[in-house]
Amino acid sequence: QVQLVESGGGSVQAGGSLRLSCTTSARPYAPHCMAWFRQAPGKEREVVASISTDGTANYADAVEDRFIISRDNAKNTLYLQMNSLKPEDTAIYYCASESEVGTWYVFTSFGCRLGYWGQGTQVTVPF
């Protein structure tokens, strides 16, 4: 069973930055398509950013030009650099990884079957 563990959340003033990390226990590690989602109170979970096996990145319109998704395969870690944070970015952020059994997601440039999820990390940007 693959485990994903997110870290890096917290509270930051509007305009500030945070970097989320997601470390996978998958062994041997192989690049998979992965994604960051978020869920705000009272709202449905939404995709924030995704990255394909070849490194292609897609972003939701709401975070385009502010967030950067990246991966360090040597460290088995996925990142989400969040800049110019806004109160509307407040949510629990989850990372997800490809699996043989899961839900098929269609992103702007590629599709990915996601079946492994982390426990989430809270990001709060006060008004």
Side-chain angles (χ1 to χ4, degrees), residues 46-110:
E46 61 178 1
V47 62
V48 174
S50 56
I51 187 166
S52 69
T53 53
D54 66 1
T56 300
N58 291 163
Y59 298 93
D61 290 342
V63 306
E64 186 83 55
D65 298 327
R66 298 190 298 123
F67 290 10
I68 301 172
I69 188 171
S70 63
R71 67 199 307 164
D72 185 335
N73 293 334
K75 295 183 178 180
N76 298 2
T77 301
L78 176 74
Y79 300 101
L80 184 68
Q81 177 67 43
M82 305 186 295
N83 302 318
S84 302
L85 282 161
K86 305 175 180 180
E88 51 263 44
D89 294 319
T90 295
I92 299 174
Y93 284 71
Y94 301 89
C95 67
S97 182
E98 183 178 10
S99 70
E100 293 183 355
V101 179
T103 302
W104 182 257
Y105 288 85
V106 178
F107 304 117
T108 304
S109 303
F110 61 94

Side-chain angles (χ1 to χ4, degrees), residues 3-10 18-24 34-36 68-72 75-82 93-96 118-123:
Q3 291 186 327
L4 304 177
V5 179
E6 301 102 333
S7 61
L18 282 174
R19 188 177 79 159
L20 305 183
S21 300
C22 172
T23 301
T24 175
M34 300 184 72
W36 286 98
I68 301 172
I69 188 171
S70 63
R71 67 199 307 164
D72 185 335
K75 295 183 178 180
N76 298 2
T77 301
L78 176 74
Y79 300 101
L80 184 68
Q81 177 67 43
M82 305 186 295
Y93 284 71
Y94 301 89
C95 67
Q119 81 290 349
T121 186
Q122 177 71 47
V123 171

Side-chain angles (χ1 to χ4, degrees), residues 22-41:
C22 172
T23 301
T24 175
S25 66
R27 295 290 185 276
Y29 178 78
H32 295 95
C33 54
M34 300 184 72
W36 286 98
F37 289 74
R38 68 185 180 187
Q39 187 166 21

